[in-house]
Amino acid sequence: MKTVKIILAGEGGQGIQTIAKVLSDAAFKAGFQVAYIPSFGVEQRGTPSLAYLTIGEEEIRYPRFDTADYVVVLQKRAIKVIGQFVDTNTTLIFDSSAVPQALLPKGAATLLGIPATAIANSDFIPKVFNIIVTGKLSQILKLPKELVFEAVGETLGKKFKDEKIKKANEAAFEFGCNFEAETDKFTKATFTPSEENITVKGHGKVAQIVPKRCKGCGICVEKCPVKALSFGETLGVFATPVPDIDLERCIACGNCYRFCPDAAIEVWKVS
Amino acid sequence: MENIAPISWKKSSKPHLFCPGCGHGIVLKQLGYAFDEMKIARDVTFGIDIGCSLLAWNFFDADTIQTHHGRTTSVMVGYKMAKPERIALAYMGDGGGYAIGLQALLHAAYRNNPVTVILVNNENYAMTGGQSSPTTPVGMVTSTSPNGKRAEFGKGLHGPELISEIAAPNAYIARVSISNPIQLKITLKKAIENQVKNKVFSFVEVLSICPTNWKTNAKESFEILREAEKLYPIKEFTKEKEVEK
């Protein structure tokens, strides 16, 4: 195998470093030379997270690079950090259900879309989205499937709290390996944060929800004494669901806005 | 819409940098309402520590100082000496206040320096990945106590109890929890008022949640917080001392 340079970009919390770790473990076991450098700022959700990965038969002299053979981008906000790595030989792989194709940097040789977020949400559990991407990437790099899956087990083993999660990961990995990537017709990017505020009126109350600030922690849903809040369809800043409010049940006690750490919800009475 | 966020919050820095469901957001929101109600946002100098609390560096439209780990109290004491007309707030976590910065905190209390210390206790070192801290209760699983913290490593440091032993009788010392935001706001206001009116030390410990490192959802987080409230009782320590006197 010729030395390939891969850059993975996304947001902290998405599992970018997990993908890179699994692939580098598997490639090392398969007898290749591997270099992997994680690159992220403060360790938290919402900040860009990058992984530099070099795999090849030749000895690797320097682990960083300026242009990559494969650029993988999994979050809309990460697009701005990958522009410099794209040149005319680059294959750009992106999560077509979360990254709008129109915003991607121009000039890449090939575009490959994997609607991983949409598939993970509809067919599996949302958390396995990075395993689908791992499966597909391992096939693009022609790494042996058994070794990659072994590496998935070693990296995530502790997180498999019950059989259901383990099964979902196995199925997602298998699905990713066999997935035929989109090359010209891409899925519409529906898993992007909602920009507009939601205002609901009725029953003498007004509710205001700001998806731009909501991080989907669920404290308001937990603290509502009359169960008027539940997770809905709209997506917040981290592409997590924003609560829907049922104003018929709501008693405007103010618990949700008092507890919300992000000031994303408020309900008040109108006379 | 008027009340959705405090006026003293810096709107351009939101959504803020804390994790989803972080207790710091709830504490800083009530602190913002306290600033609004007392109309002091322009008079406050907000000192922050190393640790998760430093992510509040652009939280308020107020002057902010960020300093060395554990030295926030000392820096704010010095600042207050130079500028007595300002309101000096030191904001820190339990790692900064009870581990590396305990001597700074104890001596500020001992000297009765006119600063307000707000300490957010989430029972671990959250920014570095959830290692066990002086306030971690016995049995809690953290990344440095994978089988649960053993009793021989301490049963949890009770900060306000310790400080109230050496603090002056007119110092305001209290412990609150984010499970009651209204009480939290009232306590924070009292602590700031004590600095402004009586020119003495005040200290508030706020029991908080850390869903990221506890690996809990909203419901489980508040269940752990309820356990913490049993170990660390919610009360004011000032009045007791006055009664004794």
Side-chain angles (χ1 to χ4, degrees), chain A residues 211-271:
Chain A
K212 272 192 296 198
R213 291 205 199 125
C214 179
K215 293 175 180 170
C217 64
I219 289 181
C220 53
V221 179
E222 161 66 18
K223 286 290 171 188
C224 183
V226 288
K227 306 232 180 321
L229 286 159
S230 59
F231 282 121
E233 295 285 308
T234 323
L235 298 177
V237 60
F238 290 155
T240 48
V242 163
D244 272 347
I245 187 158
D246 177 2
L247 283 181
E248 200 183 332
R249 279 185 175 184
C250 175
I251 52 170
C253 65
N255 252 7
C256 49
Y257 98 80
R258 217 167 277 134
F259 274 100
C260 179
D262 299 278
I265 186 167
E266 194 194 0
V267 184
W268 67 94
K269 283 182 183 161
V270 281
S271 49

Short mmCIF file of all heavy atoms in Angstrom, two decimals, chain A residues 211-271:
data_model
loop_
_atom_site.label_atom_id
_atom_site.label_comp_id
_atom_site.label_asym_id
_atom_site.label_seq_id
_atom_site.Cartn_x
_atom_site.Cartn_y
_atom_site.Cartn_z
N PRO A 211 -33.34 27.18 19.76
CA PRO A 211 -32.53 26.01 19.41
C PRO A 211 -31.04 26.32 19.26
O PRO A 211 -30.20 25.45 19.47
CB PRO A 211 -33.11 25.55 18.07
CG PRO A 211 -34.44 26.18 17.98
CD PRO A 211 -34.36 27.46 18.75
N LYS A 212 -30.72 27.56 18.90
CA LYS A 212 -29.31 27.96 18.75
C LYS A 212 -28.51 27.77 20.04
O LYS A 212 -27.31 27.65 20.03
CB LYS A 212 -29.23 29.45 18.40
CG LYS A 212 -29.29 29.76 16.96
CD LYS A 212 -28.92 31.21 16.71
CE LYS A 212 -29.91 32.16 17.35
NZ LYS A 212 -29.81 33.52 16.77
N ARG A 213 -29.21 27.82 21.20
CA ARG A 213 -28.51 27.69 22.47
C ARG A 213 -28.71 26.31 23.10
O ARG A 213 -27.93 25.92 23.95
CB ARG A 213 -29.05 28.74 23.46
CG ARG A 213 -28.68 30.16 23.09
CD ARG A 213 -28.67 31.02 24.34
NE ARG A 213 -28.76 32.43 24.03
CZ ARG A 213 -29.68 33.24 24.52
NH1 ARG A 213 -30.60 32.79 25.35
NH2 ARG A 213 -29.69 34.51 24.21
N CYS A 214 -29.76 25.59 22.70
CA CYS A 214 -30.09 24.33 23.38
C CYS A 214 -29.07 23.24 23.06
O CYS A 214 -28.75 23.00 21.91
CB CYS A 214 -31.48 23.87 22.96
SG CYS A 214 -31.95 22.31 23.72
N LYS A 215 -28.55 22.61 24.11
CA LYS A 215 -27.56 21.55 23.94
C LYS A 215 -28.15 20.17 24.19
O LYS A 215 -27.44 19.18 24.20
CB LYS A 215 -26.38 21.78 24.89
CG LYS A 215 -25.57 23.03 24.54
CD LYS A 215 -24.50 23.31 25.55
CE LYS A 215 -23.71 24.55 25.17
NZ LYS A 215 -22.83 24.97 26.26
N GLY A 216 -29.45 20.11 24.43
CA GLY A 216 -30.12 18.82 24.58
C GLY A 216 -29.77 18.06 25.84
O GLY A 216 -29.74 16.83 25.83
N CYS A 217 -29.52 18.77 26.96
CA CYS A 217 -29.14 18.07 28.19
C CYS A 217 -30.32 17.36 28.84
O CYS A 217 -30.14 16.41 29.58
CB CYS A 217 -28.50 19.04 29.17
SG CYS A 217 -29.60 20.33 29.77
N GLY A 218 -31.54 17.84 28.59
CA GLY A 218 -32.72 17.17 29.14
C GLY A 218 -33.10 17.57 30.55
O GLY A 218 -33.97 16.94 31.14
N ILE A 219 -32.46 18.60 31.11
CA ILE A 219 -32.78 19.01 32.48
C ILE A 219 -34.21 19.57 32.55
O ILE A 219 -34.94 19.29 33.50
CB ILE A 219 -31.72 20.01 33.01
CG1 ILE A 219 -30.40 19.29 33.24
CG2 ILE A 219 -32.19 20.68 34.30
CD1 ILE A 219 -29.29 20.16 33.77
N CYS A 220 -34.62 20.32 31.53
CA CYS A 220 -35.98 20.90 31.56
C CYS A 220 -37.02 19.79 31.50
O CYS A 220 -38.03 19.85 32.21
CB CYS A 220 -36.16 21.89 30.41
SG CYS A 220 -35.76 21.23 28.79
N VAL A 221 -36.77 18.76 30.68
CA VAL A 221 -37.72 17.64 30.57
C VAL A 221 -37.83 16.94 31.92
O VAL A 221 -38.91 16.58 32.37
CB VAL A 221 -37.25 16.66 29.48
CG1 VAL A 221 -38.18 15.48 29.36
CG2 VAL A 221 -37.12 17.36 28.14
N GLU A 222 -36.67 16.76 32.59
CA GLU A 222 -36.62 16.08 33.88
C GLU A 222 -37.29 16.92 34.97
O GLU A 222 -37.98 16.39 35.84
CB GLU A 222 -35.15 15.80 34.22
CG GLU A 222 -34.81 15.52 35.66
CD GLU A 222 -35.41 14.23 36.17
OE1 GLU A 222 -35.79 13.40 35.35
OE2 GLU A 222 -35.52 14.10 37.41
N LYS A 223 -37.11 18.24 34.93
CA LYS A 223 -37.59 19.09 36.01
C LYS A 223 -39.03 19.55 35.84
O LYS A 223 -39.59 20.17 36.74
CB LYS A 223 -36.68 20.33 36.14
CG LYS A 223 -35.34 20.01 36.77
CD LYS A 223 -35.49 19.68 38.24
CE LYS A 223 -34.21 19.14 38.84
NZ LYS A 223 -34.41 18.63 40.21
N CYS A 224 -39.66 19.26 34.70
CA CYS A 224 -41.05 19.69 34.49
C CYS A 224 -41.97 18.88 35.39
O CYS A 224 -42.02 17.65 35.29
CB CYS A 224 -41.46 19.51 33.03
SG CYS A 224 -43.12 20.10 32.72
N PRO A 225 -42.74 19.53 36.28
CA PRO A 225 -43.56 18.75 37.23
C PRO A 225 -44.80 18.13 36.60
O PRO A 225 -45.39 17.22 37.18
CB PRO A 225 -43.94 19.80 38.29
CG PRO A 225 -43.85 21.09 37.60
CD PRO A 225 -42.81 20.97 36.53
N VAL A 226 -45.22 18.64 35.43
CA VAL A 226 -46.46 18.12 34.82
C VAL A 226 -46.19 17.38 33.51
O VAL A 226 -47.11 17.07 32.76
CB VAL A 226 -47.48 19.25 34.59
CG1 VAL A 226 -48.05 19.72 35.90
CG2 VAL A 226 -46.87 20.41 33.82
N LYS A 227 -44.93 17.10 33.22
CA LYS A 227 -44.52 16.38 32.01
C LYS A 227 -45.06 17.03 30.73
O LYS A 227 -45.60 16.37 29.84
CB LYS A 227 -44.96 14.91 32.06
CG LYS A 227 -44.49 14.18 33.31
CD LYS A 227 -43.78 12.91 32.95
CE LYS A 227 -43.29 12.13 34.14
NZ LYS A 227 -42.74 12.90 35.24
N ALA A 228 -44.93 18.36 30.68
CA ALA A 228 -45.39 19.08 29.49
C ALA A 228 -44.30 19.15 28.43
O ALA A 228 -44.56 19.55 27.30
CB ALA A 228 -45.83 20.49 29.87
N LEU A 229 -43.08 18.77 28.78
CA LEU A 229 -41.97 18.85 27.83
C LEU A 229 -41.55 17.45 27.40
O LEU A 229 -41.52 16.52 28.21
CB LEU A 229 -40.77 19.56 28.48
CG LEU A 229 -40.89 21.07 28.67
CD1 LEU A 229 -39.92 21.53 29.73
CD2 LEU A 229 -40.62 21.81 27.39
N SER A 230 -41.21 17.32 26.13
CA SER A 230 -40.66 16.06 25.63
C SER A 230 -39.77 16.39 24.44
O SER A 230 -39.94 17.44 23.82
CB SER A 230 -41.79 15.13 25.20
OG SER A 230 -42.54 15.76 24.19
N PHE A 231 -38.83 15.50 24.12
CA PHE A 231 -37.92 15.79 23.01
C PHE A 231 -38.66 15.69 21.68
O PHE A 231 -39.43 14.76 21.46
CB PHE A 231 -36.73 14.84 23.03
CG PHE A 231 -35.71 15.22 24.05
CD1 PHE A 231 -35.34 14.36 25.07
CD2 PHE A 231 -35.12 16.46 24.00
CE1 PHE A 231 -34.41 14.74 26.01
CE2 PHE A 231 -34.18 16.85 24.93
CZ PHE A 231 -33.82 15.98 25.94
N GLY A 232 -38.42 16.65 20.80
CA GLY A 232 -39.12 16.70 19.53
C GLY A 232 -38.21 16.45 18.34
O GLY A 232 -37.21 15.75 18.43
N GLU A 233 -38.59 17.06 17.21
CA GLU A 233 -37.90 16.82 15.94
C GLU A 233 -36.83 17.86 15.64
O GLU A 233 -35.83 17.56 15.00
CB GLU A 233 -38.92 16.83 14.79
CG GLU A 233 -39.94 15.70 14.86
CD GLU A 233 -39.35 14.37 14.46
OE1 GLU A 233 -38.74 14.31 13.37
OE2 GLU A 233 -39.47 13.40 15.23
N THR A 234 -37.05 19.11 16.10
CA THR A 234 -36.10 20.18 15.79
C THR A 234 -34.76 19.88 16.44
O THR A 234 -34.70 19.28 17.50
CB THR A 234 -36.63 21.52 16.34
OG1 THR A 234 -38.03 21.55 16.19
CG2 THR A 234 -36.00 22.70 15.63
N LEU A 235 -33.66 20.33 15.80
CA LEU A 235 -32.34 20.05 16.34
C LEU A 235 -31.67 21.31 16.87
O LEU A 235 -31.80 22.38 16.30
CB LEU A 235 -31.45 19.41 15.27
CG LEU A 235 -31.93 18.06 14.74
CD1 LEU A 235 -31.02 17.58 13.66
CD2 LEU A 235 -32.03 17.03 15.85
N GLY A 236 -30.95 21.14 17.98
CA GLY A 236 -30.26 22.26 18.61
C GLY A 236 -28.84 22.40 18.13
O GLY A 236 -28.44 21.82 17.12
N VAL A 237 -28.04 23.14 18.89
CA VAL A 237 -26.71 23.55 18.44
C VAL A 237 -25.78 22.34 18.24
O VAL A 237 -24.92 22.36 17.38
CB VAL A 237 -26.12 24.60 19.40
CG1 VAL A 237 -25.99 24.06 20.80
CG2 VAL A 237 -24.79 25.13 18.92
N PHE A 238 -25.94 21.28 19.00
CA PHE A 238 -25.10 20.09 18.82
C PHE A 238 -25.83 19.00 18.03
O PHE A 238 -25.52 17.82 18.14
CB PHE A 238 -24.68 19.52 20.18
CG PHE A 238 -23.69 20.38 20.90
CD1 PHE A 238 -23.57 20.33 22.28
CD2 PHE A 238 -22.85 21.23 20.21
CE1 PHE A 238 -22.66 21.12 22.94
CE2 PHE A 238 -21.94 22.04 20.86
CZ PHE A 238 -21.84 21.98 22.24
N ALA A 239 -26.85 19.41 17.25
CA ALA A 239 -27.67 18.47 16.47
C ALA A 239 -28.32 17.42 17.36
O ALA A 239 -28.45 16.26 16.99
CB ALA A 239 -26.86 17.83 15.34
N THR A 240 -28.69 17.84 18.58
CA THR A 240 -29.46 16.98 19.48
C THR A 240 -30.89 17.53 19.52
O THR A 240 -31.08 18.71 19.25
CB THR A 240 -28.88 17.03 20.90
OG1 THR A 240 -28.67 18.40 21.25
CG2 THR A 240 -27.57 16.28 21.01
N PRO A 241 -31.88 16.70 19.84
CA PRO A 241 -33.26 17.20 19.80
C PRO A 241 -33.54 18.31 20.82
O PRO A 241 -32.98 18.31 21.92
CB PRO A 241 -34.10 15.96 20.10
CG PRO A 241 -33.19 14.84 20.21
CD PRO A 241 -31.80 15.29 20.16
N VAL A 242 -34.40 19.22 20.41
CA VAL A 242 -34.83 20.34 21.26
C VAL A 242 -36.20 19.94 21.83
O VAL A 242 -36.96 19.28 21.14
CB VAL A 242 -34.91 21.61 20.38
CG1 VAL A 242 -35.71 22.70 21.02
CG2 VAL A 242 -33.53 22.09 20.01
N PRO A 243 -36.51 20.31 23.08
CA PRO A 243 -37.82 19.90 23.62
C PRO A 243 -39.00 20.55 22.91
O PRO A 243 -38.92 21.69 22.46
CB PRO A 243 -37.75 20.33 25.09
CG PRO A 243 -36.66 21.32 25.15
CD PRO A 243 -35.68 20.97 24.09
N ASP A 244 -40.09 19.79 22.83
CA ASP A 244 -41.38 20.32 22.38
C ASP A 244 -42.18 20.61 23.63
O ASP A 244 -42.08 19.88 24.61
CB ASP A 244 -42.11 19.25 21.57
CG ASP A 244 -41.75 19.31 20.11
OD1 ASP A 244 -41.14 20.31 19.70
OD2 ASP A 244 -42.07 18.35 19.39
N ILE A 245 -43.02 21.66 23.58
CA ILE A 245 -43.80 21.99 24.77
C ILE A 245 -45.29 21.81 24.48
O ILE A 245 -45.77 22.15 23.41
CB ILE A 245 -43.47 23.41 25.29
CG1 ILE A 245 -44.16 23.68 26.61
CG2 ILE A 245 -43.77 24.49 24.26
CD1 ILE A 245 -43.51 24.76 27.42
N ASP A 246 -45.99 21.21 25.45
CA ASP A 246 -47.43 21.01 25.36
C ASP A 246 -48.07 22.05 26.28
O ASP A 246 -48.11 21.88 27.49
CB ASP A 246 -47.75 19.57 25.81
CG ASP A 246 -49.24 19.29 25.82
OD1 ASP A 246 -50.00 20.21 25.44
OD2 ASP A 246 -49.63 18.18 26.20
N LEU A 247 -48.56 23.15 25.69
CA LEU A 247 -49.05 24.26 26.51
C LEU A 247 -50.35 23.94 27.23
O LEU A 247 -50.73 24.63 28.17
CB LEU A 247 -49.20 25.53 25.67
CG LEU A 247 -47.89 26.26 25.34
CD1 LEU A 247 -48.16 27.49 24.54
CD2 LEU A 247 -47.12 26.63 26.61
N GLU A 248 -51.06 22.91 26.77
CA GLU A 248 -52.30 22.55 27.47
C GLU A 248 -51.98 22.02 28.87
O GLU A 248 -52.67 22.32 29.83
CB GLU A 248 -53.02 21.49 26.65
CG GLU A 248 -54.49 21.39 27.01
CD GLU A 248 -55.18 20.28 26.23
OE1 GLU A 248 -54.73 19.96 25.12
OE2 GLU A 248 -56.15 19.74 26.77
N ARG A 249 -50.88 21.25 28.97
CA ARG A 249 -50.49 20.70 30.26
C ARG A 249 -49.71 21.71 31.09
O ARG A 249 -49.75 21.69 32.31
CB ARG A 249 -49.59 19.49 30.05
CG ARG A 249 -50.35 18.23 29.75
CD ARG A 249 -49.34 17.11 29.70
NE ARG A 249 -49.98 15.83 29.52
CZ ARG A 249 -49.31 14.69 29.52
NH1 ARG A 249 -48.00 14.71 29.67
NH2 ARG A 249 -49.93 13.56 29.35
N CYS A 250 -48.96 22.58 30.41
CA CYS A 250 -48.02 23.49 31.09
C CYS A 250 -48.76 24.37 32.10
O CYS A 250 -49.85 24.87 31.83
CB CYS A 250 -47.33 24.35 30.05
SG CYS A 250 -46.26 25.61 30.74
N ILE A 251 -48.15 24.56 33.27
CA ILE A 251 -48.74 25.43 34.28
C ILE A 251 -47.92 26.71 34.47
O ILE A 251 -48.14 27.46 35.40
CB ILE A 251 -48.90 24.69 35.64
CG1 ILE A 251 -47.57 24.05 36.05
CG2 ILE A 251 -50.00 23.66 35.58
CD1 ILE A 251 -47.53 23.52 37.46
N ALA A 252 -46.95 26.94 33.58
CA ALA A 252 -46.10 28.13 33.62
C ALA A 252 -45.44 28.33 34.98
O ALA A 252 -45.40 29.44 35.51
CB ALA A 252 -46.87 29.39 33.19
N CYS A 253 -44.94 27.23 35.56
CA CYS A 253 -44.30 27.33 36.88
C CYS A 253 -42.91 27.96 36.76
O CYS A 253 -42.39 28.50 37.74
CB CYS A 253 -44.19 25.96 37.53
SG CYS A 253 -43.10 24.82 36.65
N GLY A 254 -42.30 27.87 35.58
CA GLY A 254 -41.00 28.50 35.38
C GLY A 254 -39.82 27.61 35.73
O GLY A 254 -38.68 28.06 35.68
N ASN A 255 -40.07 26.34 36.07
CA ASN A 255 -38.96 25.46 36.43
C ASN A 255 -38.00 25.28 35.26
O ASN A 255 -36.79 25.26 35.46
CB ASN A 255 -39.51 24.09 36.84
CG ASN A 255 -39.38 23.86 38.32
OD1 ASN A 255 -39.01 24.77 39.05
ND2 ASN A 255 -39.68 22.67 38.77
N CYS A 256 -38.53 25.13 34.05
CA CYS A 256 -37.66 24.84 32.90
C CYS A 256 -36.68 25.98 32.67
O CYS A 256 -35.50 25.76 32.49
CB CYS A 256 -38.49 24.57 31.66
SG CYS A 256 -39.77 25.76 31.34
N TYR A 257 -37.19 27.22 32.71
CA TYR A 257 -36.26 28.31 32.42
C TYR A 257 -35.34 28.62 33.59
O TYR A 257 -34.22 29.06 33.42
CB TYR A 257 -37.01 29.56 31.89
CG TYR A 257 -37.31 30.65 32.87
CD1 TYR A 257 -36.31 31.55 33.22
CD2 TYR A 257 -38.57 30.80 33.41
CE1 TYR A 257 -36.58 32.57 34.11
CE2 TYR A 257 -38.84 31.80 34.29
CZ TYR A 257 -37.85 32.69 34.65
OH TYR A 257 -38.11 33.69 35.52
N ARG A 258 -35.80 28.31 34.81
CA ARG A 258 -34.95 28.52 35.98
C ARG A 258 -33.76 27.54 35.96
O ARG A 258 -32.66 27.87 36.33
CB ARG A 258 -35.78 28.30 37.24
CG ARG A 258 -35.42 29.24 38.36
CD ARG A 258 -36.49 29.18 39.43
NE ARG A 258 -37.63 30.01 39.14
CZ ARG A 258 -38.90 29.62 39.26
NH1 ARG A 258 -39.19 28.40 39.64
NH2 ARG A 258 -39.87 30.45 38.99
N PHE A 259 -34.03 26.30 35.52
CA PHE A 259 -32.98 25.28 35.54
C PHE A 259 -32.14 25.27 34.27
O PHE A 259 -31.01 24.79 34.31
CB PHE A 259 -33.59 23.89 35.75
CG PHE A 259 -33.80 23.55 37.19
CD1 PHE A 259 -35.03 23.65 37.79
CD2 PHE A 259 -32.72 23.14 37.97
CE1 PHE A 259 -35.20 23.35 39.14
CE2 PHE A 259 -32.89 22.84 39.31
CZ PHE A 259 -34.13 22.94 39.89
N CYS A 260 -32.67 25.75 33.16
CA CYS A 260 -31.93 25.61 31.89
C CYS A 260 -30.56 26.26 32.00
O CYS A 260 -30.45 27.47 32.20
CB CYS A 260 -32.71 26.26 30.75
SG CYS A 260 -31.81 26.14 29.19
N PRO A 261 -29.46 25.50 31.87
CA PRO A 261 -28.13 26.10 32.02
C PRO A 261 -27.75 26.98 30.84
O PRO A 261 -26.79 27.73 30.93
CB PRO A 261 -27.19 24.89 32.09
CG PRO A 261 -28.03 23.68 32.09
CD PRO A 261 -29.37 24.07 31.59
N ASP A 262 -28.48 26.87 29.75
CA ASP A 262 -28.10 27.58 28.53
C ASP A 262 -29.06 28.70 28.17
O ASP A 262 -28.91 29.31 27.12
CB ASP A 262 -28.03 26.58 27.38
CG ASP A 262 -26.99 25.52 27.63
OD1 ASP A 262 -25.82 25.79 27.38
OD2 ASP A 262 -27.35 24.43 28.12
N ALA A 263 -30.05 28.96 29.03
CA ALA A 263 -31.04 30.01 28.78
C ALA A 263 -31.68 29.83 27.42
O ALA A 263 -31.68 30.73 26.59
CB ALA A 263 -30.42 31.40 28.92
N ALA A 264 -32.20 28.64 27.15
CA ALA A 264 -32.77 28.35 25.84
C ALA A 264 -34.29 28.24 25.87
O ALA A 264 -34.90 28.06 24.83
CB ALA A 264 -32.18 27.05 25.30
N ILE A 265 -34.90 28.33 27.04
CA ILE A 265 -36.35 28.15 27.11
C ILE A 265 -36.95 29.14 28.11
O ILE A 265 -36.34 29.47 29.12
CB ILE A 265 -36.72 26.68 27.47
CG1 ILE A 265 -38.23 26.45 27.39
CG2 ILE A 265 -36.18 26.27 28.84
CD1 ILE A 265 -38.64 25.00 27.43
N GLU A 266 -38.14 29.63 27.76
CA GLU A 266 -38.87 30.47 28.71
C GLU A 266 -40.36 30.33 28.44
O GLU A 266 -40.77 30.21 27.29
CB GLU A 266 -38.45 31.94 28.60
CG GLU A 266 -38.93 32.75 29.78
CD GLU A 266 -38.85 34.24 29.59
OE1 GLU A 266 -38.41 34.69 28.53
OE2 GLU A 266 -39.26 34.95 30.51
N VAL A 267 -41.15 30.34 29.51
CA VAL A 267 -42.61 30.31 29.37
C VAL A 267 -43.17 31.43 30.23
O VAL A 267 -42.71 31.64 31.34
CB VAL A 267 -43.19 28.96 29.86
CG1 VAL A 267 -44.69 28.91 29.63
CG2 VAL A 267 -42.52 27.79 29.19
N TRP A 268 -44.11 32.18 29.71
CA TRP A 268 -44.75 33.18 30.55
C TRP A 268 -46.24 33.27 30.23
O TRP A 268 -46.69 32.84 29.17
CB TRP A 268 -44.06 34.55 30.42
CG TRP A 268 -44.16 35.24 29.10
CD1 TRP A 268 -45.08 36.16 28.73
CD2 TRP A 268 -43.30 35.06 27.97
NE1 TRP A 268 -44.85 36.58 27.44
CE2 TRP A 268 -43.76 35.93 26.95
CE3 TRP A 268 -42.17 34.28 27.71
CZ2 TRP A 268 -43.14 36.02 25.70
CZ3 TRP A 268 -41.56 34.37 26.47
CH2 TRP A 268 -42.04 35.23 25.49
N LYS A 269 -47.00 33.79 31.20
CA LYS A 269 -48.46 33.90 31.04
C LYS A 269 -48.79 35.22 30.36
O LYS A 269 -48.13 36.22 30.59
CB LYS A 269 -49.13 33.85 32.40
CG LYS A 269 -49.21 32.44 32.97
CD LYS A 269 -49.92 32.44 34.30
CE LYS A 269 -49.92 31.04 34.87
NZ LYS A 269 -50.18 31.03 36.31
N VAL A 270 -49.83 35.20 29.54
CA VAL A 270 -50.31 36.46 28.96
C VAL A 270 -51.75 36.66 29.39
O VAL A 270 -52.51 35.69 29.49
CB VAL A 270 -50.21 36.46 27.41
CG1 VAL A 270 -48.81 36.75 26.96
CG2 VAL A 270 -50.71 35.17 26.81
N SER A 271 -52.10 37.87 29.67
CA SER A 271 -53.47 38.12 30.12
C SER A 271 -54.29 38.70 28.97
O SER A 271 -53.74 39.23 28.03
CB SER A 271 -53.46 39.07 31.31
OG SER A 271 -52.66 40.19 31.01
#
